Amino acid sequence: MAERTVSKVTVNELTTVAATYALAQFSDQRGISGPGPGLQNAAATSFNLADPATGKAGGPLTGDSANSETLATQNTLANLVSLCVTDNARCDKLVHLATPRGAARPADTVQAILNLVRNPTQSPGGLQALARTATVFTPALTAAPKDWVLAVRYTASELYAAGRIALDAKGNVWATNNWKPGTRDPNPYVTVLDPTGRPTLGSPISGGGMKTGAWGLAIDHDGSVWAPSYGGNAMSKYSFSGKPLSPSSGWKDGGLVKPQGVAVDQRGNVWIANSYGLKGKPGVGSVVVYPHGDPSKAISITDKSFNHPFAVQIDGQGRAWVTNSHLSFKELMESRRPSKVGGSVTVIGPDFKPIASTNDSSLQAPVGLALDSKGNAWTVNFFSSAVTEIQPNGTVAGVYQLPKKVVPWSVAIDGQDRVWVAGFGDSSVSLLCGVNTAACPSGASTGTVLSPAQGFRNKAIQHLTAVQIDSSGNAWVANNWAKIVPPTGGVGLVELVGAASPVCTPLTPLPVRPSSAHGNACPK
C-alpha cells in the first residue's frame, strides 16, 4: 500500500481535477469511500497528477516530456472548473456538456469531472472550445482531444521493452523486460514499481535465472512471483519481497523451450505455455505444470491442438484456457505478413488432460486471453485485429472487429466485466462493453467499442503488449516497442488513471471487484 501525506494542502481547480480522477472509482454523490489498499493507493496516485501542498502539477507530468499531453489535458480540465468561480453562464454550459445523454445533471463541478472520467469521449470539441475562454492553467490543449483519459508514463532503471504485467496484493506493479535499455541484448532484470510508479523491493531485481523476460507473469498463493525466462528456457521465481528463489539458471524442468504465458490455479499449480518461440515448425509446443509450484514434479502436457501456445489463464472450475497462436513467425519476419495463420483455444481440465479445442475463422494468431466474471474467455487476434468471445462450453459467442491497425496483443477484464485491449500496432488501448451491459452507456451491447475508433491514444503510449487492471481502478499498460522499424524497445509503464473498474489483485482467478461489505475486501 502506498502512503503519501502532507500537513497543509492547497485546494484549487488543479488539485480538484487530480483528486477526482485518481479517486473516481471510490466516489459518488455521498463522498469518497471504499476498501483498501485500493482506496489508499488511489489517494497516493493523485499526488502524481497534482501536488496538494503547492497546488501545481505533479512531478511525473512536468518531469517527463512523454506526459506533456496529459499535462495539457489536465490543465484544460482545470480551466473548465475555474469557469464556475467567475461565470455562472459558462459554468452552466460546462455542466450541460459534461452530462451524458439520459443522465442526471451533475450537482457540482466534481460530479461534472467524474462524468468525464467515466465517459471519456463526452463532448471533447465543445468542452475544449469552452476551456479556451479561461487561461488560468497553462499549457492547455490547443485542439479538441479524442478523449479525456489521463495517461501517465513511469520510467525506471532497466525498465525497457516491458513484456507482461502482474499486480500483487499491495498493488505493486511487476513487469518482465525483453531487452537491456537501448539494445536488443537479453534483459536480466524484473521491474517492480509501487502503486505510485516508483521502484520498490530493490527493483530492478536480478538473479533467479532471468534472461529476456517473456510475455508471462503470475503470482501464487504465497505472494511469490513466477516469471518465464524466454532466453534462458527456464522459469524464475521471486519472493513477495523481491528475493530470487530460483537457482541462478532458473528451473528448466518440463523441457521448457521459450516459455510465455503463466498462470496459477486454485490448488497452487503453476501452468506454463511452452511456446517453442516465434519461429519454428507449425504444430509444436506443450503446456508444462509445476504441481503445487514444485518444478521437480513437472508434468508436460501434449496435444495435437497445441501450436505455439502463448497465453494461459485459469477459470472458476480450475480449467486452463490456452491460446494456440500458430505464430511461426518465419513468414512474417522474413517475407510479407501472411493473410491467414489460423489459431485455436484449448481447454485443459484440472486433471491435466485436454478437454476440447475451439476453432473459429476469427482466431488468427490469438495471443492474449482473459476471463470475465462469468467464465467467458476473451482472446485478441494479432493478425485480424478481432476480439473473440468464447463461452465456458467452448462456443464462440461473438467476434468484435477493431480497426486493422490496432494489431492487439493483450486483454484484461475490469471489475464491471468491461474488456480492455492493448494495441501493439497503433499504440492504443481499446475498451469494449462486456457481458455486463448495465455497466455500459445506454444503447451499448456486448462488444460495443466504448473508446474512440482508434482507441485511447496518448503521447505516453507506445507499442503495447500488456494491459492489467489494479484495485484502484487504474489500467496499466506496457510500452514494449517504441518503433517497429527498426525494432526499438519501448520505455516505461503507463497508467490510465481512474479509467477502469477496480479488481482484486492478484487475480483470484476470475476478476472480482473489491468490496467493503465483507470482512475481507477480496476473496482469499
Side-chain angles (χ1 to χ4, degrees), residues 4 92 136 140 255 262 308 346 349 354 392 487 520-521:
R4 304 281 286 272
D92 286 342
V136 180
V262 183
H308 294 273
T346 299
N520 295 310

mmCIF file with all atom_site columns, all heavy atoms in Angstrom, residues 4 92 136 140 255 262 308 346 349 354 392 487 520-521:
data_model
loop_
_atom_site.group_PDB
_atom_site.id
_atom_site.type_symbol
_atom_site.label_atom_id
_atom_site.label_alt_id
_atom_site.label_comp_id
_atom_site.label_asym_id
_atom_site.label_entity_id
_atom_site.label_seq_id
_atom_site.pdbx_PDB_ins_code
_atom_site.Cartn_x
_atom_site.Cartn_y
_atom_site.Cartn_z
_atom_site.occupancy
_atom_site.B_iso_or_equiv
_atom_site.pdbx_formal_charge
_atom_site.auth_seq_id
_atom_site.auth_comp_id
_atom_site.auth_asym_id
_atom_site.auth_atom_id
_atom_site.pdbx_PDB_model_num
ATOM 1  N N   . ARG A 1 4   ? 1.115   8.657   1.051   1.00 0.00 ? 4   ARG A N   1
ATOM 2  C CA  . ARG A 1 4   ? 1.671   9.988   0.835   1.00 0.00 ? 4   ARG A CA  1
ATOM 3  C C   . ARG A 1 4   ? 0.916   10.929  1.762   1.00 0.00 ? 4   ARG A C   1
ATOM 4  O O   . ARG A 1 4   ? -0.324  10.927  1.794   1.00 0.00 ? 4   ARG A O   1
ATOM 5  C CB  . ARG A 1 4   ? 1.489   10.436  -0.628  1.00 0.00 ? 4   ARG A CB  1
ATOM 6  C CG  . ARG A 1 4   ? 2.080   9.495   -1.657  1.00 0.00 ? 4   ARG A CG  1
ATOM 7  C CD  . ARG A 1 4   ? 3.573   9.654   -1.801  1.00 0.00 ? 4   ARG A CD  1
ATOM 8  N NE  . ARG A 1 4   ? 3.909   10.879  -2.515  1.00 0.00 ? 4   ARG A NE  1
ATOM 9  C CZ  . ARG A 1 4   ? 3.999   10.957  -3.845  1.00 0.00 ? 4   ARG A CZ  1
ATOM 10 N NH1 . ARG A 1 4   ? 3.766   9.894   -4.582  1.00 0.00 ? 4   ARG A NH1 1
ATOM 11 N NH2 . ARG A 1 4   ? 4.339   12.095  -4.419  1.00 0.00 ? 4   ARG A NH2 1
ATOM 12 N N   . ASP A 1 92  ? -22.716 26.824  -16.282 1.00 0.00 ? 92  ASP A N   1
ATOM 13 C CA  . ASP A 1 92  ? -23.890 26.057  -16.694 1.00 0.00 ? 92  ASP A CA  1
ATOM 14 C C   . ASP A 1 92  ? -23.619 25.293  -17.991 1.00 0.00 ? 92  ASP A C   1
ATOM 15 O O   . ASP A 1 92  ? -24.066 24.149  -18.166 1.00 0.00 ? 92  ASP A O   1
ATOM 16 C CB  . ASP A 1 92  ? -25.096 26.977  -16.876 1.00 0.00 ? 92  ASP A CB  1
ATOM 17 C CG  . ASP A 1 92  ? -25.677 27.453  -15.556 1.00 0.00 ? 92  ASP A CG  1
ATOM 18 O OD1 . ASP A 1 92  ? -25.386 26.822  -14.516 1.00 0.00 ? 92  ASP A OD1 1
ATOM 19 O OD2 . ASP A 1 92  ? -26.421 28.453  -15.564 1.00 0.00 ? 92  ASP A OD2 1
ATOM 20 N N   . VAL A 1 136 ? -6.257  30.108  -16.838 1.00 0.00 ? 136 VAL A N   1
ATOM 21 C CA  . VAL A 1 136 ? -5.657  30.060  -15.510 1.00 0.00 ? 136 VAL A CA  1
ATOM 22 C C   . VAL A 1 136 ? -4.467  29.103  -15.480 1.00 0.00 ? 136 VAL A C   1
ATOM 23 O O   . VAL A 1 136 ? -3.447  29.384  -14.847 1.00 0.00 ? 136 VAL A O   1
ATOM 24 C CB  . VAL A 1 136 ? -6.712  29.641  -14.461 1.00 0.00 ? 136 VAL A CB  1
ATOM 25 C CG1 . VAL A 1 136 ? -6.088  29.580  -13.067 1.00 0.00 ? 136 VAL A CG1 1
ATOM 26 C CG2 . VAL A 1 136 ? -7.901  30.587  -14.493 1.00 0.00 ? 136 VAL A CG2 1
ATOM 27 N N   . ALA A 1 140 ? -2.242  24.407  -22.078 1.00 0.00 ? 140 ALA A N   1
ATOM 28 C CA  . ALA A 1 140 ? -3.510  23.705  -22.222 1.00 0.00 ? 140 ALA A CA  1
ATOM 29 C C   . ALA A 1 140 ? -3.628  23.176  -23.654 1.00 0.00 ? 140 ALA A C   1
ATOM 30 O O   . ALA A 1 140 ? -2.816  23.515  -24.525 1.00 0.00 ? 140 ALA A O   1
ATOM 31 C CB  . ALA A 1 140 ? -4.673  24.630  -21.888 1.00 0.00 ? 140 ALA A CB  1
ATOM 32 N N   . GLY A 1 255 ? 11.111  -29.543 -19.757 1.00 0.00 ? 255 GLY A N   1
ATOM 33 C CA  . GLY A 1 255 ? 11.559  -29.338 -21.124 1.00 0.00 ? 255 GLY A CA  1
ATOM 34 C C   . GLY A 1 255 ? 11.167  -27.990 -21.685 1.00 0.00 ? 255 GLY A C   1
ATOM 35 O O   . GLY A 1 255 ? 10.713  -27.884 -22.827 1.00 0.00 ? 255 GLY A O   1
ATOM 36 N N   . VAL A 1 262 ? 1.916   -17.596 -18.152 1.00 0.00 ? 262 VAL A N   1
ATOM 37 C CA  . VAL A 1 262 ? 1.969   -18.323 -16.873 1.00 0.00 ? 262 VAL A CA  1
ATOM 38 C C   . VAL A 1 262 ? 0.688   -18.035 -16.100 1.00 0.00 ? 262 VAL A C   1
ATOM 39 O O   . VAL A 1 262 ? 0.164   -16.918 -16.134 1.00 0.00 ? 262 VAL A O   1
ATOM 40 C CB  . VAL A 1 262 ? 3.187   -17.887 -16.024 1.00 0.00 ? 262 VAL A CB  1
ATOM 41 C CG1 . VAL A 1 262 ? 3.268   -18.699 -14.739 1.00 0.00 ? 262 VAL A CG1 1
ATOM 42 C CG2 . VAL A 1 262 ? 4.476   -18.006 -16.810 1.00 0.00 ? 262 VAL A CG2 1
ATOM 43 N N   . HIS A 1 308 ? 2.312   -23.570 -30.924 1.00 0.00 ? 308 HIS A N   1
ATOM 44 C CA  . HIS A 1 308 ? 2.928   -22.390 -30.329 1.00 0.00 ? 308 HIS A CA  1
ATOM 45 C C   . HIS A 1 308 ? 2.013   -21.771 -29.260 1.00 0.00 ? 308 HIS A C   1
ATOM 46 O O   . HIS A 1 308 ? 1.534   -20.643 -29.404 1.00 0.00 ? 308 HIS A O   1
ATOM 47 C CB  . HIS A 1 308 ? 3.290   -21.366 -31.401 1.00 0.00 ? 308 HIS A CB  1
ATOM 48 C CG  . HIS A 1 308 ? 4.355   -21.847 -32.336 1.00 0.00 ? 308 HIS A CG  1
ATOM 49 N ND1 . HIS A 1 308 ? 5.694   -21.696 -32.079 1.00 0.00 ? 308 HIS A ND1 1
ATOM 50 C CD2 . HIS A 1 308 ? 4.278   -22.519 -33.520 1.00 0.00 ? 308 HIS A CD2 1
ATOM 51 C CE1 . HIS A 1 308 ? 6.404   -22.233 -33.079 1.00 0.00 ? 308 HIS A CE1 1
ATOM 52 N NE2 . HIS A 1 308 ? 5.568   -22.743 -33.955 1.00 0.00 ? 308 HIS A NE2 1
ATOM 53 N N   . THR A 1 346 ? -7.467  -24.033 -26.540 1.00 0.00 ? 346 THR A N   1
ATOM 54 C CA  . THR A 1 346 ? -7.626  -25.356 -25.947 1.00 0.00 ? 346 THR A CA  1
ATOM 55 C C   . THR A 1 346 ? -7.924  -25.233 -24.453 1.00 0.00 ? 346 THR A C   1
ATOM 56 O O   . THR A 1 346 ? -7.321  -24.409 -23.764 1.00 0.00 ? 346 THR A O   1
ATOM 57 C CB  . THR A 1 346 ? -6.348  -26.199 -26.140 1.00 0.00 ? 346 THR A CB  1
ATOM 58 O OG1 . THR A 1 346 ? -6.096  -26.363 -27.535 1.00 0.00 ? 346 THR A OG1 1
ATOM 59 C CG2 . THR A 1 346 ? -6.484  -27.573 -25.498 1.00 0.00 ? 346 THR A CG2 1
ATOM 60 N N   . GLY A 1 349 ? -8.343  -29.768 -18.424 1.00 0.00 ? 349 GLY A N   1
ATOM 61 C CA  . GLY A 1 349 ? -9.006  -29.987 -17.150 1.00 0.00 ? 349 GLY A CA  1
ATOM 62 C C   . GLY A 1 349 ? -8.068  -29.934 -15.962 1.00 0.00 ? 349 GLY A C   1
ATOM 63 O O   . GLY A 1 349 ? -6.841  -29.975 -16.108 1.00 0.00 ? 349 GLY A O   1
ATOM 64 N N   . PRO A 1 354 ? -6.278  -32.561 -21.724 1.00 0.00 ? 354 PRO A N   1
ATOM 65 C CA  . PRO A 1 354 ? -7.024  -31.674 -22.620 1.00 0.00 ? 354 PRO A CA  1
ATOM 66 C C   . PRO A 1 354 ? -8.467  -32.124 -22.774 1.00 0.00 ? 354 PRO A C   1
ATOM 67 O O   . PRO A 1 354 ? -8.750  -33.331 -22.860 1.00 0.00 ? 354 PRO A O   1
ATOM 68 C CB  . PRO A 1 354 ? -6.255  -31.793 -23.941 1.00 0.00 ? 354 PRO A CB  1
ATOM 69 C CG  . PRO A 1 354 ? -4.869  -32.203 -23.533 1.00 0.00 ? 354 PRO A CG  1
ATOM 70 C CD  . PRO A 1 354 ? -5.068  -33.107 -22.341 1.00 0.00 ? 354 PRO A CD  1
ATOM 71 N N   . PRO A 1 392 ? -18.111 -20.525 -21.730 1.00 0.00 ? 392 PRO A N   1
ATOM 72 C CA  . PRO A 1 392 ? -17.454 -21.589 -20.966 1.00 0.00 ? 392 PRO A CA  1
ATOM 73 C C   . PRO A 1 392 ? -17.525 -22.969 -21.613 1.00 0.00 ? 392 PRO A C   1
ATOM 74 O O   . PRO A 1 392 ? -16.656 -23.805 -21.381 1.00 0.00 ? 392 PRO A O   1
ATOM 75 C CB  . PRO A 1 392 ? -18.206 -21.569 -19.625 1.00 0.00 ? 392 PRO A CB  1
ATOM 76 C CG  . PRO A 1 392 ? -18.676 -20.150 -19.493 1.00 0.00 ? 392 PRO A CG  1
ATOM 77 C CD  . PRO A 1 392 ? -19.021 -19.716 -20.889 1.00 0.00 ? 392 PRO A CD  1
ATOM 78 N N   . PRO A 1 487 ? 13.216  -2.508  -35.068 1.00 0.00 ? 487 PRO A N   1
ATOM 79 C CA  . PRO A 1 487 ? 12.681  -2.818  -33.731 1.00 0.00 ? 487 PRO A CA  1
ATOM 80 C C   . PRO A 1 487 ? 13.450  -2.098  -32.631 1.00 0.00 ? 487 PRO A C   1
ATOM 81 O O   . PRO A 1 487 ? 14.664  -2.266  -32.508 1.00 0.00 ? 487 PRO A O   1
ATOM 82 C CB  . PRO A 1 487 ? 12.857  -4.342  -33.637 1.00 0.00 ? 487 PRO A CB  1
ATOM 83 C CG  . PRO A 1 487 ? 12.887  -4.809  -35.054 1.00 0.00 ? 487 PRO A CG  1
ATOM 84 C CD  . PRO A 1 487 ? 13.593  -3.727  -35.812 1.00 0.00 ? 487 PRO A CD  1
ATOM 85 N N   . ASN A 1 520 ? -13.180 -9.286  4.385   1.00 0.00 ? 520 ASN A N   1
ATOM 86 C CA  . ASN A 1 520 ? -12.028 -9.093  3.502   1.00 0.00 ? 520 ASN A CA  1
ATOM 87 C C   . ASN A 1 520 ? -12.507 -8.440  2.220   1.00 0.00 ? 520 ASN A C   1
ATOM 88 O O   . ASN A 1 520 ? -13.538 -8.825  1.659   1.00 0.00 ? 520 ASN A O   1
ATOM 89 C CB  . ASN A 1 520 ? -11.346 -10.427 3.179   1.00 0.00 ? 520 ASN A CB  1
ATOM 90 C CG  . ASN A 1 520 ? -10.741 -11.070 4.414   1.00 0.00 ? 520 ASN A CG  1
ATOM 91 O OD1 . ASN A 1 520 ? -10.024 -10.430 5.166   1.00 0.00 ? 520 ASN A OD1 1
ATOM 92 N ND2 . ASN A 1 520 ? -11.041 -12.339 4.630   1.00 0.00 ? 520 ASN A ND2 1
ATOM 93 N N   . ALA A 1 521 ? -11.773 -7.434  1.750   1.00 0.00 ? 521 ALA A N   1
ATOM 94 C CA  . ALA A 1 521 ? -12.170 -6.751  0.523   1.00 0.00 ? 521 ALA A CA  1
ATOM 95 C C   . ALA A 1 521 ? -12.148 -7.698  -0.663  1.00 0.00 ? 521 ALA A C   1
ATOM 96 O O   . ALA A 1 521 ? -12.924 -7.546  -1.597  1.00 0.00 ? 521 ALA A O   1
ATOM 97 C CB  . ALA A 1 521 ? -11.240 -5.566  0.261   1.00 0.00 ? 521 ALA A CB  1
#
